[in-house]
Amino acid sequence: MGEDRKHRGKSVLLVCALCVLMVGIADRAQPKETVLTVDVEITPPCVMSEETRFTGFDIELWEEIAKDLGLAYVYHETDLKGIFRDLVDGHADVALSCITITNEREKIIDFSHHYMDSGLRIMVLNKTKFSLAESVKSIYSPIVFKAFAYIGLFIIICGHVFWWVEKGHKYISTSYFPGIFQAYWYVLVTMTTVGYGDIVPRSWVGRLMAFLVMIIGIGIFGWTIAQLSSAITLQTLHSDITSHWDLRDRWVATVEGTTSVPALEKLGAVVVPARTIDQAYEKLLNSEVNAVVFDSPTILYYARNKGAGKVSVVGPLFDIQYYGFLFPQGSELRESVNRALLKLRNDGTYDKLHNKWFGSH
């Protein structure tokens, strides 16, 4: 009886051990879901922090890709240097934040196909102080120069007509000089509504001429004054930096380690590096620099939102760039993301997201 109990006990233990072993084998055979680490840097409107979650164009685009591929992931916020360090050291699987594709960066990490075309933009501080010297510069504005050319031509034509019909009368000399200058003076004071002064037309033709000068000339004169006032206002509000060619020898803030730095150095600008784009904005608002240069989406977003009324974006897009997702070298995920990107472009999802954040393209 005792021996049977021992055998039964051993059999039970053996069965239990086999069950545990089978459960362990089954558990190891069941593949665990891989959770990717996605590095991000706060760069509006590509990546933004909103309470307990991230949002922005890049975030929404990545989440559509992850949804299509069935990927699990967690975000890890860092800066640009941290992104490259994590990818090289294998601490991140993907990174995104409107990061420019460059040959130098391709040497240490891999990029996806580019998902957006961009470039650099210039942002300057709106002026609040009046400057006589800069107001005088407004006279050289093309529209003001054209307005003065029109008014000068009008005075010359009308002056000659008036001299021809009024010469020999009391106020206009029969000699071309000084008669023509007397006629010019008459046209000028009439069109500016000052009055005739010491010259009054004597003939009916001269008076008809005076009527035309008053009707047409006053309109031309008013239009010229309006153009001059507009040009002075613009000159007062905006910087004399109007394109990237004006950045030579100017103090320009941008984010250190970005492609903006070599682009500005080529233009001869004095680069003032900032750790983040927000620090660059502060330098501009505090008048520590003449301008901020950075990626177009970021600059335009700030100027239309937090910087509205304080700053202006000037000049055309320059130094065209392309944005891509970042992966460690040799990542198998890269090809899958590329295929998902193509799919989102074809089914209209990409266009919908782009229109939401940047308008139609």
Side-chain angles (χ1 to χ4, degrees):
M1 182 70 74
E3 290 294 325
D4 290 340
R5 287 180 178 177
K6 285 182 180 180
H7 283 303
R8 282 198 298 270
K10 289 180 179 179
S11 297
V12 170
L13 289 174
L14 181 60
V15 170
C16 289
L18 287 171
C19 289
V20 171
L21 182 61
M22 293 298 292
V23 169
I25 293 173
D27 186 59
R28 284 195 294 271
Q30 183 71 27
K32 293 184 179 179
E33 184 179 36
T34 301
V35 179
L36 304 176
T37 298
V38 181
D39 269 13
V40 297
E41 179 188 23
I42 301 299
T43 310
C46 302
V47 177
M48 298 181 290
S49 180
E50 192 176 271
E51 297 180 353
T52 59
R53 68 187 188 92
F54 291 102
T55 185
F57 174 74
D58 278 33
I59 294 294
E60 293 194 6
L61 181 60
W62 164 253
E63 290 178 354
E64 288 291 340
I65 292 172
K67 179 181 176 181
D68 181 72
L69 297 177
L71 302 175
Y73 56 89
V74 292
Y75 291 119
H76 172 242
E77 183 181 343
T78 182
D79 57 16
L80 190 63
K81 288 183 179 180
I83 284 176
F84 285 98
R85 183 174 58 249
D86 287 350
L87 290 170
V88 172
D89 294 343
H91 297 151
D93 302 289
V94 187
L96 50 96
S97 190
C98 282
I99 298 174
T100 306
I101 300 171
T102 69
N103 182 55
E104 290 301 314
R105 290 172 176 175
E106 276 278 10
K107 293 177 180 178
I108 58 174
I109 53 93
D110 286 340
F111 280 99
S112 68
H113 293 327
H114 79 273
Y115 61 83
M116 186 162 65
D117 301 350
S118 183
L120 300 181
R121 288 278 189 184
I122 305 168
M123 187 170 70
V124 296
L125 192 64
N126 283 345
K127 297 179 182 179
T128 57
K129 295 181 179 179
F130 178 77
S131 171
L132 179 61
E134 292 186 356
S135 296
V136 171
K137 290 180 182 178
S138 62
I139 297 175
Y140 298 99
S141 167
I143 188 66
V144 174
F145 186 81
K146 185 183 294 185
F148 276 114
Y150 287 156
I151 202 171
L153 185 62
F154 181 81
I155 291 173
I156 290 172
I157 294 173
C158 292
H160 277 82
V161 174
F162 186 75
W163 174 76
W164 181 260
V165 299
E166 287 290 315
K167 64 180 179 179
H169 290 165
K170 182 178 179 180
Y171 302 104
I172 303 296
S173 172
T174 54
S175 300
Y176 188 73
F177 298 108
I180 191 62
F181 293 113
Q182 294 168 336
Y184 288 162
W185 173 252
Y186 154 75
V187 173
L188 182 61
V189 297
T190 300
M191 69 187 299
T192 57
T193 71
V194 174
Y196 298 122
D198 56 347
I199 302 177
V200 178
R202 310 298 293 181
S203 66
W204 285 106
V205 178
R207 291 175 181 177
L208 177 61
M209 188 68 203
F211 174 76
L212 293 175
V213 169
M214 284 187 285
I215 296 299
I216 302 174
I218 291 174
I220 295 177
F221 181 76
W223 177 73
T224 301
I225 295 301
Q227 297 304 320
L228 181 59
S229 299
S230 176
I232 290 175
T233 300
L234 290 174
Q235 188 68 35
T236 302
L237 289 176
H238 298 305
S239 166
D240 55 351
I241 296 175
T242 58
S243 76
H244 55 285
W245 302 115
D246 297 325
L247 296 177
R248 176 172 291 278
D249 298 326
R250 301 300 182 92
W251 293 71
V252 183
T254 193
V255 179
E256 61 185 5
T258 63
T259 55
S260 305
V261 175
L264 289 170
E265 289 174 345
K266 288 180 182 178
L267 293 170
V270 180
V271 179
V272 180
R275 190 170 180 273
T276 65
I277 189 60
D278 286 332
Q279 290 181 359
Y281 296 150
E282 285 299 317
K283 291 179 184 294
L284 180 64
L285 294 175
N286 295 332
S287 299
E288 297 176 27
V289 294
N290 303 114
V292 169
V293 169
F294 201 60
D295 295 355
S296 178
T298 304
I299 290 291
L300 292 175
Y301 184 82
Y302 179 82
R304 292 169 182 169
N305 292 276
K306 288 185 179 180
K310 303 174 186 177
V311 299
S312 296
V313 179
V314 298
L317 192 71
F318 71 100
D319 196 52
I320 304 302
Q321 302 172 353
Y322 305 98
Y323 297 150
F325 294 114
L326 288 71
F327 306 90
Q329 282 193 333
S331 172
E332 296 179 358
L333 183 60
R334 176 175 174 269
E335 189 59 34
S336 298
V337 169
N338 284 338
R339 288 196 296 268
L341 269 173
L342 291 174
K343 181 179 177 181
L344 294 178
R345 286 184 180 275
N346 291 334
D347 66 16
T349 303
Y350 177 88
D351 288 337
K352 187 183 299 182
L353 290 177
H354 193 282
N355 292 345
K356 174 183 175 180
W357 290 99
F358 306 111
S360 58
H361 65 105

